[in-house]
Amino acid sequence: MSIKAAKASDRTGEADLRGRPTAMRRRGACPALAAPMPTGDGLLVRLRPAGGALTPSQFASLARSAAAHGNGILEITARGNLQIRGLRAETVGQLTADIDAAGITVPDGPAIETSPLHGIDPEERSDPAAMEMALRSTLHDLLASPRLAPKLSLVVDGGGAFGLSALSADIRIVAQSPTDWLVAINGDGETAMPAAIGPTEAAISTVGEILSLLATLGQGKRARDIDPALLRARFPAMDDIQFISSRAAGMPLAGSHRLKDGKTILGVRPEFGQMRASDLIALLDLATDRGATAVRFAPGRGFFFIGLSADTVPAMQIAAAGHGFSTQPGENTEHIAACAGAGACGSAFYETRTLARRLIAVAPALFDGSLTLHLSGCAKGCAHARPALTLTGSAEGYGLILNGLAADQPDELIAGGRIDFAIERLARSIEDNKDAGESTAACLTRLGATGVSKALRQE
């Protein structure tokens, strides 16, 4: 469904056709164009263009619109969706008109996430974009049902070099061969429960049954709310399914990659997933000059440039770094989830990105890849919805949560002026207490709240 169609079917009732909110958007719902979410820096909208792809010129047009009608800050989420910040009630409709004018299609209904390399990866078993189109066409009415949870998610994994196993979803559709698909619910590539396996038409029918079941259970219900016994009654053969699991690890996002057919792609990550429109436009203009034909959004807060020739990639990497984008895998910023922070969001109590850079310098022991450091300017936790090593801002300073959400009770309270010192001491304690081969996450778990508190209080 295009933006035009989406505007005509505002099923939440929380914004009119010009983007004027008619009721406060509840936190936890998806802030789509039809129902932007109030945040500390204005209204936020999240969108996923059809196929998770734009041309460079479309992306540049979107960035210019974000600068004109918002605060010029764009974000890519951990699931590879695009967010535009700082909008006002009277400018949401103008952004929507610009999206239409650029020829960008944003399907209505739940997000259906696909591999960023769909259709160009010679290793994929089947094209997930074609499956997404078939799902939206066949199950249009079900997907548009107001009884489905706003954050209901579907993942279509065609296999290939860039795996989607780490993405959790209510419904997973995973290619087993060019013609057969596995349908599973409630989890990632390892934990989701298989429901059925079969050719495309059968898989779509299974997805339809699950959506109908969710709609029957009541508004807001997710796959985790389905009684396994009820699922087995619908799909009696589910316990006997033999399937090929999703690839657990594939190519990293950032960096230059050569596909098996010889094509070169370049993955870039905005620092902490956030970019200013001016930097993005400059990079997109350069990419267009160097022959890029498409931008593909990717899980992990970044995107791929498609169509670059191998000899243009080194210069593109240098230029990207100059505009605040990472083009090398394994950088410490990959392990930090930071919200917009003070200066960009009125709800935040500290500058998350400034602190992130300082912590990378003073506490390298934290960044061995075994955990995520979540820097949340307030207790809302917008940047990361899963348990993590979390620093929550408040009027009193910082709350340190060893493995939890930003809103959880802190394990330790740290005064604002002592944060660098405290984190440096924590990192030193980890280095001193790590067993051979032990990860930072495992060491923190072993130390626990008592051990960490003792480390922070040592003089």
Side-chain angles (χ1 to χ4, degrees):
M1 182 181 293
S2 69
I3 291 296
K4 292 184 178 68
K7 288 189 294 184
S9 60
D10 175 20
R11 55 191 173 92
T12 66
E14 294 175 341
D16 67 13
L17 298 188
R18 292 180 176 82
R20 295 188 294 255
T22 58
M24 184 67 85
R25 184 75 169 145
R26 77 181 185 278
R27 183 157 298 280
C30 282
L33 275 162
M37 177 183 288
T39 68
D41 59 341
L43 297 176
L44 177 146
V45 299
R46 181 181 303 143
L47 59 89
R48 180 176 179 81
L54 295 173
T55 65
S57 63
Q58 285 176 326
F59 200 6
S61 294
L62 192 56
R64 285 190 288 270
S65 186
H69 307 308
N71 60 12
I73 295 176
L74 299 93
E75 296 172 327
I76 301 179
T77 71
R79 299 183 73 93
N81 299 314
L82 187 64
Q83 294 186 161
I84 298 173
R85 304 190 67 95
L87 296 159
R88 303 183 306 280
E90 64 270 21
T91 64
V92 174
Q94 295 167 338
L95 173 72
T96 302
D98 288 349
I99 291 175
D100 277 339
I104 298 170
T105 298
V106 181
D108 196 11
I112 299 180
E113 290 147 345
T114 58
S115 168
L117 305 185
H118 63 78
I120 62 173
D121 183 356
E123 295 184 66
E124 70 181 2
R125 302 184 194 105
S126 191
D127 185 359
M131 171 57 89
E132 178 187 356
M133 291 178 63
L135 286 166
R136 292 198 182 278
S137 174
T138 307
L139 305 177
H140 175 270
D141 291 344
L142 270 173
L143 289 168
S145 170
R147 296 185 64 80
L148 294 180
K151 277 197 167 184
L152 189 78
S153 60
L154 293 85
V155 165
V156 181
D157 189 349
F162 193 94
L164 297 182
S165 180
L167 277 189
S168 62
D170 290 279
I171 304 174
R172 303 184 65 83
I173 306 101
V174 183
Q176 303 293 290
S177 71
T179 58
D180 285 343
W181 298 83
L182 168 75
V183 179
I185 71 163
N186 187 32
D188 58 23
E190 294 183 358
T191 63
M193 180 185 299
I197 191 169
T200 299
E201 295 77 9
I204 293 173
S205 177
T206 297
V207 173
E209 287 191 62
I210 296 170
L211 291 174
S212 296
L213 184 57
L214 288 169
T216 300
L217 289 176
Q219 189 172 25
K221 296 298 184 182
R222 305 289 295 273
R224 60 178 174 265
D225 298 312
I226 299 176
D227 185 342
L230 180 58
L231 197 67
R232 285 185 170 86
R234 291 284 189 99
F235 307 105
M238 58 183 291
D239 290 328
D240 299 321
I241 293 175
Q242 301 293 318
F243 63 92
I244 304 170
S245 62
S246 303
R247 176 177 290 196
M251 69 165 64
L253 169 54
S256 175
H257 308 288
R258 191 176 181 86
L259 301 180
K260 281 198 169 181
D261 60 0
K263 292 178 182 175
T264 298
I265 59 174
L266 175 63
V268 301
R269 296 179 72 254
E271 189 178 45
F272 313 117
Q274 189 176 98
M275 53 203 162
R276 294 202 170 271
S278 56
D279 288 318
L280 177 60
I281 291 167
L283 182 62
L284 290 167
D285 287 347
L286 183 60
T288 299
D289 291 342
R290 299 297 174 90
T293 57
V295 172
R296 299 286 189 89
F297 299 106
R301 305 182 191 275
F303 55 87
F304 289 104
F305 281 118
I306 311 298
L308 295 170
S309 58
D311 60 335
T312 66
V313 167
M316 277 292 299
Q317 290 178 296
I318 294 171
H323 289 291
F325 295 85
S326 170
T327 61
Q328 300 298 331
E331 295 191 6
N332 288 338
T333 56
E334 293 182 14
H335 309 301
I336 298 177
C339 70
C345 178
S347 298
F349 288 93
Y350 69 96
E351 295 182 0
T352 54
R353 284 157 173 74
T354 300
L355 180 60
R357 297 183 191 101
R358 297 205 308 265
L359 297 187
I360 287 172
V362 303
L366 292 177
F367 305 105
D368 66 349
S370 64
L371 56 76
T372 295
L373 174 61
H374 179 193
L375 301 182
S376 184
C378 71
K380 295 175 185 176
C382 300
H384 194 71
R386 292 186 176 186
L389 177 62
T390 302
L391 275 176
T392 300
S394 71
E396 291 73 37
Y398 300 85
L400 176 65
I401 302 157
L402 295 183
N403 184 31
L405 306 177
D408 290 346
Q409 185 70 26
D411 294 298
E412 191 73 22
L413 295 174
I414 304 169
R418 290 178 55 84
I419 187 61
D420 288 21
F421 176 76
I423 296 299
E424 187 174 4
R425 176 161 287 179
L426 176 61
R428 189 181 307 127
S429 177
I430 292 170
E431 290 179 321
D432 292 344
N433 285 280
K434 258 187 183 182
D435 292 334
E438 188 177 34
S439 70
T440 293
C443 182
L444 272 176
T445 299
R446 181 167 54 79
L447 289 174
T450 301
V452 168
S453 179
K454 181 179 178 182
L456 295 179
R457 283 170 168 70
Q458 286 178 345
E459 296 296 338

